[in-house]
Amino acid sequence: MAQGKPGPRAVVVGGGVAGLTAAAALSEAGWRVVVLEKEDDVGGRCRTVRAGGYLFDTGAQHFHDSYDDTLNAAIRAGLGESFRIPQEPKGIFHDGRLSTFVPRGLNPSTIFPWGAVGLTGLADVGAVAPALLTHYRSYNIRFPHWWSQGDRVTAARFLSRRSTARYRRNIADPAALYAMGAGIDTISAAAFMVSLRYTFGDRTGGFTGGMGSLSEALARKAKVITGMVALEVVREGKNATGVRAMPAVGGRARTYQADVVICALPATALPAVAGRLGRSAQDIVARVRYAPAIVVNFASAEENAAPGGPVIVARGEEIGAAWVCKNTSKAAEYAPGGGTVATVVFSGEEVPVIIDEPDDVIVKAASSACSSIFGTAFGKARQVRVDRHPEAFPVVSPGHAARVRTLFTSGSGVGNLLLAGDWTTSPTVEGAVSSGLAAAGRALAQRAG
Ligand SMILES: Cc1cc2nc3c(=O)[nH]c(=O)nc-3n(C[C@H](O)[C@H](O)[C@H](O)COP(=O)(O)OP(=O)(O)OC[C@H]3O[C@@H](n4cnc5c(N)ncnc54)[C@H](O)[C@@H]3O)c2cc1C
């Protein structure tokens, strides 16, 4: 940017990772960026809260090794590799056993998912291995490979090729459901992560805690106004000229002028703010539904008898799983003095049933999940925090990928109004980061053109 010449102005609506990534990228390119976030804090569904000396992840917690855009964003935002916990000190608690992630090459027992495949599956391993290796390169948590080849059918075929009945039931089917977005409400994030771990071995590690530190670091790169509710995108003809917004606690509405507006909102919140969009944008927005989730955090002053450090416990059908990061810098960060923070994520069928229950009912259910997996009920927790997400994960209907591709080609239908958010890519932090980068890229290209 030439000195003295002010850069173009962007208003970003929504201070989740998608909006913040877009804002950081444009700020780095010399744009004058304002992010409007209706809550008091940034992060949206990717937020880490500090309370009483403990750290609580209130939404996303797991980082996958294929989160390239996320890791790069974290590095650029100054967090460095420390954002992601190294491989060694983590593991999965399953069926009462802690399976640590040791390098495959060193431990023959982890080369293949024996436990999940079962005895009857051993004969299939010879056939399974080449398929795994073939698909490994094109595999990515964003599943562009599956999407590009026709969603559901390709995904199902891909997974069925490597399965015994038991493997399919416990591992492949949940992963397929998740991947297709079709049944995310019927599986847990844990089941999904376990399936990835079993399927792709050590590459699927990358447990992190404190995912919200990414949101915070990105927010330092742009001007963010929290507690500011965007009311509407202001338009002149086919162009957006700014965003009208009002303080959440009351006060006068004002308009933030912009050369480009980026709406990084959940699909359900978008229409009220963005107004009428083009046909393909309207179409995709109308078809996205959300599955709910609940996160319960327990902080205990005592080290947990099982794994210690921050642990993530999640529930889902037959798989009870936990990620542990004992003896890492994050352990001390989460719970100083050898304490424990356990995060229980409910994301299964029971969520719609219990989401409106009072805290004590939810806390009891979470405590019993801890008890069944770790033998510790966290009855005497120092702090307990319950976060309800009625709209946790976008559940996309079949054909979503094709519609998203159209959206990217034809745009929102309003020249300089760009859309971002996990629903435009995949229901993950990586999806949100990628969508923010894409929106920033389009803004830069529009300007250059
Ligand atoms: C319980 C849970 C666990 C998860 N676990 C993982 C995980 O382990 N790994 C993973 O990769 N992903 C996980 N996810 C998914 C991940 O958190 C999301 O995909 C990602 O954070 C979405 O980011 P986003 O920016 O698209 O949307 P959001 O985070 O929803 O951001 C949208 C923002 O817009 C704001 N907003 C809304 N309306 C307005 C308005 N009118 N004016 C101003 N601001 C407004 C909201 O307050 C919010 O901050 C999890 C999600 C949940 C809920």
Side-chain angles (χ1 to χ4, degrees), residues 188-254:
S188 71
F192 176 59
M193 294 306 285
V194 171
S195 74
L196 290 180
R197 180 265 183 277
Y198 274 125
T199 308
F200 298 104
D202 304 310
R203 268 279 295 174
T204 63
F207 168 85
T208 196
M211 200 84 128
S213 60
L214 175 64
S215 311
E216 291 161 19
L218 289 169
R220 288 194 282 274
K221 295 257 171 182
K223 180 175 173 186
V224 180
I225 306 178
T226 53
M228 186 60 79
V229 185
L231 301 173
E232 63 168 343
V233 174
V234 182
R235 301 185 190 185
E236 255 171 42
K238 292 213 158 192
N239 269 327
T241 56
V243 176
R244 203 163 68 84
M246 196 166 135
V249 291
R252 296 226 329 233
R254 58 159 292 187

Short mmCIF file of all heavy atoms in Angstrom, two decimals, residues 188-254:
data_model
loop_
_atom_site.label_atom_id
_atom_site.label_comp_id
_atom_site.label_asym_id
_atom_site.label_seq_id
_atom_site.Cartn_x
_atom_site.Cartn_y
_atom_site.Cartn_z
N SER A 188 -21.00 -38.71 17.90
CA SER A 188 -20.32 -37.70 18.70
C SER A 188 -19.02 -37.31 18.01
O SER A 188 -18.48 -38.04 17.18
CB SER A 188 -20.00 -38.24 20.07
OG SER A 188 -18.98 -39.20 19.94
N ALA A 189 -18.54 -36.15 18.40
CA ALA A 189 -17.25 -35.73 17.87
C ALA A 189 -16.19 -36.75 18.24
O ALA A 189 -15.25 -37.01 17.50
CB ALA A 189 -16.88 -34.36 18.44
N ALA A 190 -16.37 -37.36 19.40
CA ALA A 190 -15.40 -38.35 19.84
C ALA A 190 -15.36 -39.53 18.89
O ALA A 190 -14.30 -40.00 18.50
CB ALA A 190 -15.75 -38.83 21.23
N ALA A 191 -16.55 -40.01 18.54
CA ALA A 191 -16.60 -41.15 17.63
C ALA A 191 -15.88 -40.81 16.34
O ALA A 191 -15.15 -41.62 15.78
CB ALA A 191 -18.05 -41.52 17.35
N PHE A 192 -16.08 -39.60 15.91
CA PHE A 192 -15.45 -39.17 14.67
C PHE A 192 -13.93 -39.16 14.81
O PHE A 192 -13.20 -39.68 13.97
CB PHE A 192 -15.95 -37.78 14.29
CG PHE A 192 -15.27 -37.23 13.08
CD1 PHE A 192 -15.32 -37.90 11.88
CD2 PHE A 192 -14.58 -36.05 13.15
CE1 PHE A 192 -14.69 -37.39 10.76
CE2 PHE A 192 -13.94 -35.53 12.04
CZ PHE A 192 -13.99 -36.21 10.85
N MET A 193 -13.46 -38.57 15.90
CA MET A 193 -12.02 -38.47 16.07
C MET A 193 -11.40 -39.86 16.26
O MET A 193 -10.32 -40.14 15.78
CB MET A 193 -11.68 -37.56 17.25
CG MET A 193 -12.06 -36.11 17.05
SD MET A 193 -11.39 -35.38 15.55
CE MET A 193 -9.67 -35.14 16.01
N VAL A 194 -12.12 -40.71 16.99
CA VAL A 194 -11.60 -42.07 17.17
C VAL A 194 -11.51 -42.75 15.81
O VAL A 194 -10.54 -43.44 15.49
CB VAL A 194 -12.52 -42.87 18.11
CG1 VAL A 194 -12.12 -44.33 18.13
CG2 VAL A 194 -12.43 -42.31 19.52
N SER A 195 -12.52 -42.54 15.01
CA SER A 195 -12.50 -43.19 13.70
C SER A 195 -11.32 -42.69 12.87
O SER A 195 -10.67 -43.46 12.19
CB SER A 195 -13.82 -42.94 12.97
OG SER A 195 -13.87 -41.62 12.51
N LEU A 196 -11.06 -41.41 12.97
CA LEU A 196 -9.92 -40.89 12.23
C LEU A 196 -8.62 -41.49 12.75
O LEU A 196 -7.74 -41.87 11.99
CB LEU A 196 -9.85 -39.36 12.37
CG LEU A 196 -10.92 -38.57 11.68
CD1 LEU A 196 -10.71 -37.10 11.93
CD2 LEU A 196 -10.90 -38.83 10.18
N ARG A 197 -8.55 -41.59 14.06
CA ARG A 197 -7.32 -42.10 14.65
C ARG A 197 -7.09 -43.54 14.20
O ARG A 197 -6.00 -43.94 13.81
CB ARG A 197 -7.40 -42.00 16.18
CG ARG A 197 -6.18 -42.51 16.93
CD ARG A 197 -6.39 -43.95 17.35
NE ARG A 197 -5.28 -44.48 18.13
CZ ARG A 197 -4.19 -44.97 17.57
NH1 ARG A 197 -4.02 -44.93 16.27
NH2 ARG A 197 -3.24 -45.49 18.33
N TYR A 198 -8.16 -44.33 14.24
CA TYR A 198 -8.02 -45.73 13.85
C TYR A 198 -7.72 -45.84 12.36
O TYR A 198 -7.01 -46.70 11.91
CB TYR A 198 -9.29 -46.50 14.17
CG TYR A 198 -9.33 -47.02 15.59
CD1 TYR A 198 -10.38 -46.71 16.43
CD2 TYR A 198 -8.28 -47.81 16.07
CE1 TYR A 198 -10.41 -47.18 17.73
CE2 TYR A 198 -8.30 -48.28 17.38
CZ TYR A 198 -9.37 -47.96 18.19
OH TYR A 198 -9.39 -48.41 19.47
N THR A 199 -8.33 -44.97 11.62
CA THR A 199 -8.19 -45.10 10.17
C THR A 199 -6.86 -44.57 9.68
O THR A 199 -6.22 -45.16 8.82
CB THR A 199 -9.33 -44.33 9.47
OG1 THR A 199 -10.56 -44.77 10.04
CG2 THR A 199 -9.34 -44.62 7.99
N PHE A 200 -6.45 -43.47 10.21
CA PHE A 200 -5.29 -42.82 9.63
C PHE A 200 -4.10 -42.73 10.58
O PHE A 200 -3.13 -42.06 10.29
CB PHE A 200 -5.66 -41.43 9.12
CG PHE A 200 -6.68 -41.52 8.04
CD1 PHE A 200 -8.00 -41.21 8.28
CD2 PHE A 200 -6.33 -41.97 6.78
CE1 PHE A 200 -8.95 -41.32 7.30
CE2 PHE A 200 -7.27 -42.09 5.79
CZ PHE A 200 -8.59 -41.77 6.04
N GLY A 201 -4.21 -43.41 11.71
CA GLY A 201 -3.05 -43.53 12.59
C GLY A 201 -2.55 -42.19 13.09
O GLY A 201 -3.32 -41.29 13.37
N ASP A 202 -1.26 -42.08 13.18
CA ASP A 202 -0.66 -40.95 13.90
C ASP A 202 -0.90 -39.60 13.25
O ASP A 202 -0.84 -38.58 13.91
CB ASP A 202 0.84 -41.19 14.03
CG ASP A 202 1.09 -42.51 14.70
OD1 ASP A 202 0.49 -42.74 15.75
OD2 ASP A 202 1.85 -43.31 14.15
N ARG A 203 -1.16 -39.60 11.97
CA ARG A 203 -1.37 -38.32 11.30
C ARG A 203 -2.62 -37.61 11.83
O ARG A 203 -2.83 -36.44 11.59
CB ARG A 203 -1.55 -38.54 9.78
CG ARG A 203 -0.27 -38.45 9.02
CD ARG A 203 0.14 -37.02 8.73
NE ARG A 203 -0.80 -36.33 7.84
CZ ARG A 203 -0.70 -35.04 7.56
NH1 ARG A 203 0.25 -34.32 8.09
NH2 ARG A 203 -1.57 -34.48 6.76
N THR A 204 -3.47 -38.36 12.52
CA THR A 204 -4.71 -37.73 12.94
C THR A 204 -4.60 -37.14 14.34
O THR A 204 -5.59 -36.85 14.96
CB THR A 204 -5.87 -38.72 12.95
OG1 THR A 204 -5.57 -39.72 13.91
CG2 THR A 204 -6.10 -39.32 11.61
N GLY A 205 -3.41 -36.98 14.83
CA GLY A 205 -3.24 -36.48 16.19
C GLY A 205 -3.55 -35.01 16.32
O GLY A 205 -4.59 -34.53 15.91
N GLY A 206 -2.59 -34.30 16.82
CA GLY A 206 -2.72 -32.86 16.89
C GLY A 206 -3.75 -32.38 17.87
O GLY A 206 -4.39 -31.37 17.65
N PHE A 207 -3.93 -33.10 18.96
CA PHE A 207 -4.84 -32.59 19.97
C PHE A 207 -4.36 -31.22 20.43
O PHE A 207 -3.19 -30.98 20.63
CB PHE A 207 -4.85 -33.54 21.18
CG PHE A 207 -5.52 -32.95 22.37
CD1 PHE A 207 -6.89 -33.04 22.51
CD2 PHE A 207 -4.80 -32.26 23.32
CE1 PHE A 207 -7.52 -32.48 23.60
CE2 PHE A 207 -5.43 -31.69 24.40
CZ PHE A 207 -6.79 -31.80 24.54
N THR A 208 -5.26 -30.34 20.54
CA THR A 208 -4.89 -29.07 21.15
C THR A 208 -5.91 -28.75 22.22
O THR A 208 -7.02 -29.28 22.23
CB THR A 208 -4.85 -27.93 20.12
OG1 THR A 208 -4.13 -26.85 20.72
CG2 THR A 208 -6.22 -27.46 19.71
N GLY A 209 -5.55 -27.91 23.10
CA GLY A 209 -6.52 -27.34 24.02
C GLY A 209 -6.36 -25.85 23.87
O GLY A 209 -5.35 -25.38 23.33
N GLY A 210 -7.30 -25.11 24.33
CA GLY A 210 -7.15 -23.66 24.21
C GLY A 210 -7.28 -23.19 22.78
O GLY A 210 -6.60 -22.28 22.33
N MET A 211 -8.18 -23.83 22.03
CA MET A 211 -8.40 -23.48 20.63
C MET A 211 -8.77 -22.00 20.51
O MET A 211 -8.50 -21.36 19.50
CB MET A 211 -9.53 -24.35 20.08
CG MET A 211 -9.59 -24.47 18.61
SD MET A 211 -8.47 -25.73 18.01
CE MET A 211 -9.54 -26.71 17.02
N GLY A 212 -9.41 -21.47 21.56
CA GLY A 212 -9.83 -20.06 21.52
C GLY A 212 -8.67 -19.09 21.46
O GLY A 212 -8.86 -17.92 21.12
N SER A 213 -7.46 -19.57 21.77
CA SER A 213 -6.32 -18.66 21.68
C SER A 213 -6.12 -18.23 20.23
O SER A 213 -5.58 -17.16 19.96
CB SER A 213 -5.04 -19.31 22.24
OG SER A 213 -4.74 -20.46 21.50
N LEU A 214 -6.58 -19.06 19.29
CA LEU A 214 -6.48 -18.67 17.88
C LEU A 214 -7.38 -17.46 17.61
O LEU A 214 -6.94 -16.48 17.00
CB LEU A 214 -6.90 -19.84 16.97
CG LEU A 214 -6.95 -19.53 15.48
CD1 LEU A 214 -5.56 -19.17 14.95
CD2 LEU A 214 -7.51 -20.71 14.69
N SER A 215 -8.62 -17.53 18.09
CA SER A 215 -9.53 -16.40 17.89
C SER A 215 -8.94 -15.13 18.50
O SER A 215 -8.97 -14.06 17.89
CB SER A 215 -10.89 -16.68 18.54
OG SER A 215 -11.37 -17.94 18.17
N GLU A 216 -8.42 -15.27 19.71
CA GLU A 216 -7.88 -14.08 20.39
C GLU A 216 -6.70 -13.49 19.62
O GLU A 216 -6.59 -12.26 19.47
CB GLU A 216 -7.44 -14.45 21.81
CG GLU A 216 -8.60 -14.77 22.73
CD GLU A 216 -8.16 -15.55 23.96
OE1 GLU A 216 -6.96 -15.54 24.29
OE2 GLU A 216 -9.03 -16.20 24.58
N ALA A 217 -5.82 -14.36 19.13
CA ALA A 217 -4.63 -13.86 18.42
C ALA A 217 -5.04 -13.20 17.10
O ALA A 217 -4.50 -12.16 16.72
CB ALA A 217 -3.66 -15.01 18.16
N LEU A 218 -6.00 -13.80 16.40
CA LEU A 218 -6.46 -13.20 15.13
C LEU A 218 -7.10 -11.84 15.40
O LEU A 218 -6.93 -10.90 14.62
CB LEU A 218 -7.47 -14.13 14.44
CG LEU A 218 -6.92 -15.43 13.85
CD1 LEU A 218 -8.06 -16.36 13.45
CD2 LEU A 218 -6.04 -15.13 12.63
N ALA A 219 -7.83 -11.76 16.50
CA ALA A 219 -8.55 -10.52 16.81
C ALA A 219 -7.59 -9.36 17.04
O ALA A 219 -7.95 -8.20 16.84
CB ALA A 219 -9.44 -10.72 18.03
N ARG A 220 -6.37 -9.68 17.46
CA ARG A 220 -5.39 -8.61 17.69
C ARG A 220 -4.90 -8.00 16.38
O ARG A 220 -4.23 -6.99 16.36
CB ARG A 220 -4.21 -9.14 18.51
CG ARG A 220 -4.58 -9.40 19.97
CD ARG A 220 -3.36 -9.61 20.84
NE ARG A 220 -2.80 -10.93 20.69
CZ ARG A 220 -3.18 -12.01 21.37
NH1 ARG A 220 -4.14 -11.91 22.27
NH2 ARG A 220 -2.61 -13.17 21.18
N LYS A 221 -5.22 -8.63 15.26
CA LYS A 221 -4.73 -8.16 13.96
C LYS A 221 -5.65 -7.14 13.31
O LYS A 221 -5.34 -6.60 12.25
CB LYS A 221 -4.61 -9.35 13.01
CG LYS A 221 -3.59 -10.36 13.41
CD LYS A 221 -2.39 -10.17 12.55
CE LYS A 221 -1.22 -10.99 13.01
NZ LYS A 221 -0.07 -10.73 12.17
N ALA A 222 -6.86 -6.98 13.86
CA ALA A 222 -7.80 -6.04 13.21
C ALA A 222 -8.55 -5.29 14.30
O ALA A 222 -8.48 -5.64 15.48
CB ALA A 222 -8.78 -6.81 12.32
N LYS A 223 -9.28 -4.27 13.89
CA LYS A 223 -10.09 -3.54 14.86
C LYS A 223 -11.39 -4.34 15.08
O LYS A 223 -12.14 -4.57 14.12
CB LYS A 223 -10.40 -2.16 14.32
CG LYS A 223 -11.25 -1.35 15.26
CD LYS A 223 -11.43 0.05 14.73
CE LYS A 223 -12.41 0.81 15.61
NZ LYS A 223 -12.73 2.11 15.06
N VAL A 224 -11.60 -4.76 16.32
CA VAL A 224 -12.79 -5.56 16.60
C VAL A 224 -13.67 -4.78 17.57
O VAL A 224 -13.20 -4.30 18.60
CB VAL A 224 -12.41 -6.91 17.24
CG1 VAL A 224 -13.67 -7.73 17.53
CG2 VAL A 224 -11.47 -7.70 16.34
N ILE A 225 -14.94 -4.68 17.24
CA ILE A 225 -15.88 -4.03 18.17
C ILE A 225 -16.82 -5.10 18.69
O ILE A 225 -17.63 -5.66 17.94
CB ILE A 225 -16.68 -2.91 17.47
CG1 ILE A 225 -15.70 -1.93 16.81
CG2 ILE A 225 -17.58 -2.20 18.47
CD1 ILE A 225 -16.37 -0.81 16.04
N THR A 226 -16.65 -5.44 19.97
CA THR A 226 -17.51 -6.46 20.55
C THR A 226 -18.76 -5.80 21.14
O THR A 226 -18.80 -4.59 21.35
CB THR A 226 -16.77 -7.26 21.65
OG1 THR A 226 -16.22 -6.33 22.59
CG2 THR A 226 -15.67 -8.12 21.08
N GLY A 227 -19.76 -6.61 21.40
CA GLY A 227 -21.01 -6.08 21.92
C GLY A 227 -21.74 -5.22 20.90
O GLY A 227 -22.52 -4.34 21.27
N MET A 228 -21.49 -5.46 19.64
CA MET A 228 -22.10 -4.66 18.57
C MET A 228 -22.87 -5.60 17.63
O MET A 228 -22.29 -6.44 16.97
CB MET A 228 -20.99 -3.92 17.81
CG MET A 228 -21.48 -2.94 16.78
SD MET A 228 -22.52 -1.61 17.44
CE MET A 228 -21.29 -0.50 18.13
N VAL A 229 -24.18 -5.44 17.62
CA VAL A 229 -25.04 -6.33 16.82
C VAL A 229 -25.26 -5.74 15.44
O VAL A 229 -25.78 -4.62 15.31
CB VAL A 229 -26.42 -6.50 17.50
CG1 VAL A 229 -27.28 -7.51 16.75
CG2 VAL A 229 -26.26 -6.89 18.96
N ALA A 230 -24.87 -6.48 14.42
CA ALA A 230 -25.13 -6.02 13.05
C ALA A 230 -26.62 -6.17 12.77
O ALA A 230 -27.20 -7.24 13.00
CB ALA A 230 -24.30 -6.82 12.07
N LEU A 231 -27.23 -5.11 12.27
CA LEU A 231 -28.67 -5.16 11.98
C LEU A 231 -28.93 -5.46 10.52
O LEU A 231 -29.77 -6.28 10.18
CB LEU A 231 -29.32 -3.82 12.36
CG LEU A 231 -29.16 -3.40 13.83
CD1 LEU A 231 -29.71 -1.99 14.02
CD2 LEU A 231 -29.88 -4.38 14.74
N GLU A 232 -28.21 -4.74 9.65
CA GLU A 232 -28.43 -4.97 8.22
C GLU A 232 -27.26 -4.47 7.39
O GLU A 232 -26.56 -3.53 7.77
CB GLU A 232 -29.71 -4.28 7.75
CG GLU A 232 -29.64 -2.78 7.89
CD GLU A 232 -30.77 -2.05 7.16
OE1 GLU A 232 -31.42 -2.64 6.29
OE2 GLU A 232 -30.98 -0.87 7.47
N VAL A 233 -27.08 -5.15 6.27
CA VAL A 233 -26.11 -4.67 5.29
C VAL A 233 -26.81 -3.57 4.49
O VAL A 233 -27.91 -3.77 3.97
CB VAL A 233 -25.67 -5.82 4.36
CG1 VAL A 233 -24.77 -5.29 3.23
CG2 VAL A 233 -24.95 -6.91 5.16
N VAL A 234 -26.17 -2.42 4.46
CA VAL A 234 -26.77 -1.28 3.74
C VAL A 234 -26.35 -1.37 2.27
O VAL A 234 -25.19 -1.65 1.96
CB VAL A 234 -26.27 0.05 4.33
CG1 VAL A 234 -26.92 1.23 3.64
CG2 VAL A 234 -26.54 0.09 5.83
N ARG A 235 -27.33 -1.18 1.39
CA ARG A 235 -27.02 -1.34 -0.04
C ARG A 235 -27.39 -0.11 -0.85
O ARG A 235 -28.31 0.63 -0.50
CB ARG A 235 -27.83 -2.50 -0.61
CG ARG A 235 -27.58 -3.80 0.07
CD ARG A 235 -28.34 -4.83 -0.67
NE ARG A 235 -28.34 -6.09 0.03
CZ ARG A 235 -28.87 -7.18 -0.47
NH1 ARG A 235 -29.44 -7.15 -1.64
NH2 ARG A 235 -28.85 -8.30 0.22
N GLU A 236 -26.67 0.04 -1.93
CA GLU A 236 -27.08 1.02 -2.96
C GLU A 236 -27.07 0.27 -4.27
O GLU A 236 -26.02 -0.19 -4.72
CB GLU A 236 -26.07 2.16 -3.01
CG GLU A 236 -26.58 3.43 -2.36
CD GLU A 236 -25.49 4.47 -2.25
OE1 GLU A 236 -24.71 4.62 -3.21
OE2 GLU A 236 -25.42 5.11 -1.19
N GLY A 237 -28.23 0.09 -4.85
CA GLY A 237 -28.32 -0.71 -6.07
C GLY A 237 -27.81 -2.11 -5.80
O GLY A 237 -28.22 -2.76 -4.85
N LYS A 238 -26.87 -2.58 -6.62
CA LYS A 238 -26.37 -3.95 -6.48
C LYS A 238 -25.13 -4.03 -5.60
O LYS A 238 -24.44 -5.05 -5.58
CB LYS A 238 -26.05 -4.51 -7.87
CG LYS A 238 -27.29 -4.73 -8.69
CD LYS A 238 -27.12 -5.92 -9.60
CE LYS A 238 -28.49 -6.43 -9.98
NZ LYS A 238 -28.56 -7.66 -10.59
N ASN A 239 -24.83 -2.96 -4.91
CA ASN A 239 -23.63 -2.95 -4.09
C ASN A 239 -23.93 -2.72 -2.62
O ASN A 239 -24.90 -2.04 -2.28
CB ASN A 239 -22.68 -1.85 -4.56
CG ASN A 239 -21.71 -2.39 -5.60
OD1 ASN A 239 -21.34 -3.56 -5.54
ND2 ASN A 239 -21.35 -1.54 -6.54
N ALA A 240 -23.07 -3.29 -1.77
CA ALA A 240 -23.15 -3.02 -0.34
C ALA A 240 -22.30 -1.79 -0.04
O ALA A 240 -21.19 -1.67 -0.57
CB ALA A 240 -22.64 -4.21 0.44
N THR A 241 -22.82 -0.90 0.78
CA THR A 241 -22.03 0.29 1.10
C THR A 241 -21.61 0.32 2.57
O THR A 241 -20.82 1.16 2.96
CB THR A 241 -22.84 1.58 0.82
OG1 THR A 241 -24.05 1.51 1.58
CG2 THR A 241 -23.15 1.73 -0.65
N GLY A 242 -22.14 -0.58 3.36
CA GLY A 242 -21.76 -0.60 4.77
C GLY A 242 -22.67 -1.52 5.57
O GLY A 242 -23.48 -2.26 5.01
N VAL A 243 -22.54 -1.42 6.89
CA VAL A 243 -23.35 -2.24 7.78
C VAL A 243 -23.90 -1.37 8.89
O VAL A 243 -23.16 -0.61 9.52
CB VAL A 243 -22.50 -3.38 8.40
CG1 VAL A 243 -23.32 -4.19 9.40
CG2 VAL A 243 -21.93 -4.30 7.32
N ARG A 244 -25.21 -1.48 9.10
CA ARG A 244 -25.82 -0.74 10.20
C ARG A 244 -25.82 -1.65 11.43
O ARG A 244 -26.18 -2.83 11.34
CB ARG A 244 -27.26 -0.34 9.85
CG ARG A 244 -27.77 0.86 10.66
CD ARG A 244 -29.00 1.45 9.98
NE ARG A 244 -30.13 0.52 10.07
CZ ARG A 244 -30.94 0.44 11.11
NH1 ARG A 244 -30.78 1.22 12.17
NH2 ARG A 244 -31.95 -0.41 11.10
N ALA A 245 -25.36 -1.10 12.55
CA ALA A 245 -25.22 -1.93 13.75
C ALA A 245 -25.61 -1.14 14.99
O ALA A 245 -25.63 0.10 14.97
CB ALA A 245 -23.78 -2.41 13.88
N MET A 246 -25.89 -1.89 16.04
CA MET A 246 -26.34 -1.23 17.27
C MET A 246 -25.72 -1.93 18.49
O MET A 246 -25.60 -3.17 18.49
CB MET A 246 -27.86 -1.39 17.35
CG MET A 246 -28.50 -0.48 18.31
SD MET A 246 -30.27 -0.54 17.95
CE MET A 246 -30.85 -0.68 19.58
N PRO A 247 -25.31 -1.18 19.50
CA PRO A 247 -24.73 -1.83 20.68
C PRO A 247 -25.72 -2.80 21.32
O PRO A 247 -26.91 -2.50 21.39
CB PRO A 247 -24.44 -0.66 21.63
CG PRO A 247 -24.39 0.55 20.75
CD PRO A 247 -25.32 0.29 19.61
N ALA A 248 -25.21 -3.96 21.76
CA ALA A 248 -26.08 -4.99 22.33
C ALA A 248 -26.77 -4.51 23.59
O ALA A 248 -27.89 -4.93 23.90
CB ALA A 248 -25.26 -6.24 22.63
N VAL A 249 -26.12 -3.63 24.34
CA VAL A 249 -26.70 -3.19 25.61
C VAL A 249 -27.57 -1.94 25.45
O VAL A 249 -27.96 -1.31 26.42
CB VAL A 249 -25.61 -2.91 26.66
CG1 VAL A 249 -24.95 -4.20 27.11
CG2 VAL A 249 -24.57 -1.93 26.14
N GLY A 250 -27.81 -1.59 24.23
CA GLY A 250 -28.63 -0.40 24.00
C GLY A 250 -27.78 0.77 23.57
O GLY A 250 -26.58 0.80 23.80
N GLY A 251 -28.39 1.71 22.95
CA GLY A 251 -27.65 2.85 22.42
C GLY A 251 -28.09 3.08 20.99
O GLY A 251 -29.01 2.42 20.51
N ARG A 252 -27.42 4.00 20.32
CA ARG A 252 -27.89 4.37 18.98
C ARG A 252 -27.25 3.52 17.90
O ARG A 252 -26.08 3.15 17.99
CB ARG A 252 -27.53 5.84 18.75
CG ARG A 252 -28.28 6.70 19.73
CD ARG A 252 -28.95 7.91 19.19
NE ARG A 252 -28.37 8.59 18.07
CZ ARG A 252 -28.10 9.87 18.09
NH1 ARG A 252 -28.28 10.57 19.20
NH2 ARG A 252 -27.67 10.49 17.01
N ALA A 253 -28.05 3.22 16.89
CA ALA A 253 -27.50 2.49 15.74
C ALA A 253 -26.60 3.42 14.95
O ALA A 253 -26.82 4.64 14.92
CB ALA A 253 -28.64 1.98 14.87
N ARG A 254 -25.59 2.86 14.31
CA ARG A 254 -24.76 3.66 13.42
C ARG A 254 -24.34 2.80 12.23
O ARG A 254 -24.44 1.56 12.27
CB ARG A 254 -23.53 4.22 14.13
CG ARG A 254 -22.61 3.21 14.75
CD ARG A 254 -21.23 3.79 14.96
NE ARG A 254 -20.56 4.05 13.69
CZ ARG A 254 -19.29 4.42 13.60
NH1 ARG A 254 -18.57 4.64 14.68
NH2 ARG A 254 -18.72 4.62 12.42
#
